[in-house]
Amino acid sequence: MRRDILHPGAGKLRYEIREITAFAKSLDKWHIPVQWENIGDPVKKGEPVADWIKSIVSKKAGENLSYAYSETEGASCAREFLSAQVNKRPDLENHLPGLTAARITADDILFFNGLGDAVAKVFGFLRREARVLGPSPAYSTLSSAEAAHSGYEHLTYKLDPHRDWMPDMADVELKVRYNDSVAGLLLINPDNPTGAVYPAEVLMEFIRIAKTYGLFIICDETYANIIYGSFGTAALSQVIGDVPGIALRSLSKEVPWPGARCGWAEIYNRKSDRCFDAYVRSLLDAKRLEVCSTSLPQLCIPEIMGDSRYGPHLAARAAMFGRRADEAEEAFRDIPGIFMKKPRGALYATAVFEGDFNETKTEHCLPVCSGDLKAYITETIKGLMPDKQFVYWLLASTGICVVPLSGFASSLPGFRFTLLEHNDEKRAWIYKTLAESVREYLE
C-alpha cells in the first residue's frame, strides 16, 4: 500500500488466554482431549445459572423494550439502581480517619458491551503520551490495551508472590515520581491472575500517590463480590476521596453471565478536574457513535441484583470458590521449585516456578503419546519463554490447558489455572495431575 496503515500499537495486542487455544487445537490429530483451564467462563465449566435468575431474564426477554435501543449511557433504570448501590456502600471513616467516600448519580454510570469494550475505550481515548502504570503480573486485556494505545511496552509495578501478591508501593511511587508521562494508576481488586485481595490500607496508598502527583485511578472490580472468607477490602468508591477515578464492573463472573457482554464504569469525581471531565465526555461521545450497548442484560440488573436471593447467591459462590482454593493449595503443597499462594478472591490460582527456572535452558519434557508428537512439541517450543514451554508440554502430555505467567506482562515464570471446574471428581484430577506434572518436569 502507498501508506503504512498499521497503528503503532498493533503489535502490543496480545491475549495469551485465548492464543493458547490455537496451539491446543493443533493437537487434534493426536486425539488429545483438552481440559480448558485457560478461560474464566464459569458456565462453560459446568456451573449452572440459578433458576430464579433465568426466570428474570426470560421474563425480561418477553418484553418488547428489551429489543429496543437503550440510552447511550445505559438503561436509566440500571444506572439509577447501580448509582444507588454505590451510595449505599458503608463509610470507612471509623477505620481510616479522614477518609471520604465518593457519592455519584446515574449520570456517573456508563455502560459498555462487556469490560473488553470498556477497556478499549478507556485506554483508546487517552492521549498517546499519557501512560497508565499497572501491575505485573497483569490481566492481558488491560496490559495490552495500555501498551497498544501508547505504542510501547506496558508500564508496570511489581506484585510480590511472597507477600500475598501485594504491590510494591515503593516501586509504584518511584516509577510515578521519575516518569512524568504517568497520568494514571491501574489496579485490579481482587486481582486476576493472582487472586490477591488488597486491604483498604493498600488502596489508600494508591490514593495518596494519585493525589500527590495529580493522577487518576482505574480499578478493575470485576471480582469485587468473589472474595473468600472474612478477608477485608474496600471498593474504590469507599476510599477515593476527591481523586478522579473509574471503577469497572460487570455481570460476567458474579451472576454468572459472561455471554451477556455487559459491563459498566462507575466514574468518581468527574468535575474535580477539567481535563478528566473532558476525557470522560470523550468516552460518552465514543459510545454515541455505537448508539448504545446491549439492552436486555442492562434491563435485568435491577431485578437480579435487587432480589433478596442475590446476597445469599453471592455468599454461596464465594464460599464454593474458597473451598476450591483450599484444594488447589493442598495439591501444590511441598513441591520443590514451585510456589503457589492460595488466592483470596477471583476465580484463579497462580503458581510460580522458583530458582533458576528462567535462566536454565533445559531439556525438560513430559511423556507424550507418540514420537512424532514429541518431535512436534520439541520443534514448536524453540525460542519460547521457559514457562510457555512447560505449558505446551503439559498440554501434549495431559490435555490440561493453562496460561503461562509470561503471558500476563510478567518476568516471573509460572502459570495460571482456574477454580472453575464444577465436577468435583474432574477438578480433583486436574489439580492432582497439574501438581504431578510440575514435580516430574522439575526433577
Side-chain angles (χ1 to χ4, degrees):
M1 298 185 71
R2 69 178 188 176
R3 295 296 300 270
D4 183 354
I5 64 172
L6 191 65
H7 187 282
K12 307 299 182 185
L13 294 170
R14 301 299 305 274
Y15 194 64
E16 189 72 60
I17 295 167
R18 292 228 178 222
E19 287 178 15
I20 199 74
T21 63
F23 172 75
K25 290 184 182 299
S26 75
L27 304 180
D28 283 352
K29 65 179 179 178
W30 286 281
H31 307 292
I32 298 172
V34 177
Q35 301 297 327
W36 300 104
E37 284 295 304
N38 56 323
I39 296 174
D41 186 337
V43 182
K44 279 275 182 72
K45 293 293 281 184
E47 182 180 350
V49 179
D51 287 340
W52 65 268
I53 292 176
K54 290 180 184 177
S55 179
I56 289 172
V57 175
S58 178
K59 179 183 174 184
K60 279 294 174 189
E63 298 176 4
N64 286 334
L65 284 179
S66 295
Y67 299 83
Y69 289 136
S70 65
E71 297 93 327
T72 294
E73 300 88 338
S76 58
C77 63
R79 289 185 293 116
E80 288 166 5
F81 175 84
L82 291 170
S83 61
Q85 295 299 109
V86 171
N87 295 335
K88 288 178 183 176
R89 290 172 189 160
D91 197 330
L92 300 182
E93 192 167 7
N94 291 337
H95 304 285
L96 298 167
L99 184 72
T100 56
R103 294 293 176 256
I104 67 172
T105 71
D107 291 337
D108 297 311
I109 302 285
L110 180 57
F111 270 90
F112 297 88
N113 285 314
L115 287 192
D117 176 30
V119 168
K121 298 291 193 306
V122 164
F123 288 104
F125 284 87
L126 283 173
R127 188 182 182 91
R128 273 195 65 190
E129 297 82 3
R131 303 301 306 277
V132 177
L133 182 68
S136 174
Y139 177 51
S140 308
T141 296
L142 293 160
S143 59
S144 289
E146 199 284 328
H149 109 269
S150 68
Y152 297 96
E153 294 299 317
H154 180 42
L155 289 177
T156 62
Y157 55 85
K158 302 172 193 170
L159 302 181
D160 186 347
H162 294 285
R163 292 180 48 251
D164 299 330
W165 287 109
M166 288 295 104
D168 181 338
M169 298 309 299
D171 184 45
V172 174
E173 187 153 16
L174 279 172
K175 286 174 175 172
V176 169
R177 180 183 300 163
Y178 294 110
N179 188 344
D180 63 5
S181 68
V182 174
L185 297 174
L186 167 68
L187 50 150
I188 308 169
N189 184 41
D191 186 63
N192 176 10
T194 70
V197 176
Y198 298 163
E201 290 78 7
V202 170
L203 299 178
M204 284 295 294
E205 269 296 284
F206 279 104
I207 302 302
R208 181 191 64 78
I209 292 170
K211 190 174 180 68
T212 300
Y213 297 94
L215 313 179
F216 76 106
I217 288 184
I218 304 169
C219 186
D220 182 339
E221 296 183 340
T222 301
Y223 303 96
N225 288 316
I226 307 177
I227 296 174
Y228 322 142
S230 58
F231 191 80
T233 186
L236 181 64
S237 70
Q238 294 173 284
V239 299
I240 197 165
D242 58 0
V243 171
I246 299 173
L248 303 175
R249 295 199 171 208
S250 82
L251 295 178
S252 290
K253 312 301 182 178
E254 68 176 57
V255 169
W257 194 1
R261 307 315 304 135
C262 181
W264 63 90
E266 299 172 0
I267 299 163
Y268 312 128
N269 303 313
R270 173 176 172 176
K271 300 296 184 181
S272 66
D273 183 274
R274 185 171 59 183
C275 184
F276 183 69
D277 182 41
Y279 164 67
V280 171
R281 189 162 57 250
S282 75
L283 301 181
L284 177 56
D285 290 342
K287 285 305 299 182
R288 286 198 176 104
L289 297 179
E290 299 175 6
V291 183
C292 69
S293 297
T294 306
S295 297
L296 175 61
Q298 296 181 50
L299 295 173
C300 292
I301 284 173
E303 289 194 39
I304 292 175
M305 293 187 173
D307 193 286
S308 61
R309 291 166 286 190
Y310 197 62
H313 165 78
L314 294 177
R317 294 186 76 242
M320 175 180 71
F321 291 121
R323 291 189 294 272
R324 295 177 186 176
D326 290 338
E327 295 169 4
E329 181 186 43
E330 183 59 33
F332 282 87
R333 191 183 302 279
D334 300 326
I335 300 179
I338 194 83
F339 175 80
M340 198 214 83
K341 176 65 184 178
K342 184 175 76 171
R344 290 172 164 172
L347 307 175
Y348 315 97
T350 291
V352 179
F353 291 110
E354 298 193 299
D356 61 354
F357 185 86
N358 255 352
E359 288 73 27
T360 304
K361 301 301 181 186
T362 70
E363 296 299 323
H364 290 179
C365 64
L366 289 170
V368 294
C369 63
S370 68
D372 61 336
L373 176 55
K374 183 174 182 178
Y376 173 67
I377 302 299
T378 302
E379 181 64 27
T380 302
I381 65 172
K382 289 180 179 178
L384 296 184
M385 294 295 291
D387 60 350
K388 195 167 185 176
Q389 294 183 28
F390 166 76
V391 166
Y392 278 27
W393 279 114
L394 179 73
L395 250 170
S397 178
T398 69
I400 299 174
C401 183
V402 299
V403 186
L405 195 55
S406 58
F408 290 98
S410 175
S411 61
L412 295 172
F415 56 92
R416 186 201 77 168
F417 57 100
T418 82
L419 306 176
L420 291 173
E421 177 54 57
H422 204 66
N423 181 292
D424 293 342
E425 185 176 331
K426 185 184 290 187
R427 188 176 64 255
W429 174 83
I430 289 169
Y431 294 170
K432 179 175 180 288
T433 304
L434 268 176
E436 289 175 347
S437 297
V438 166
R439 190 187 296 274
E440 183 172 1
Y441 194 77
L442 294 177
E443 284 177 350

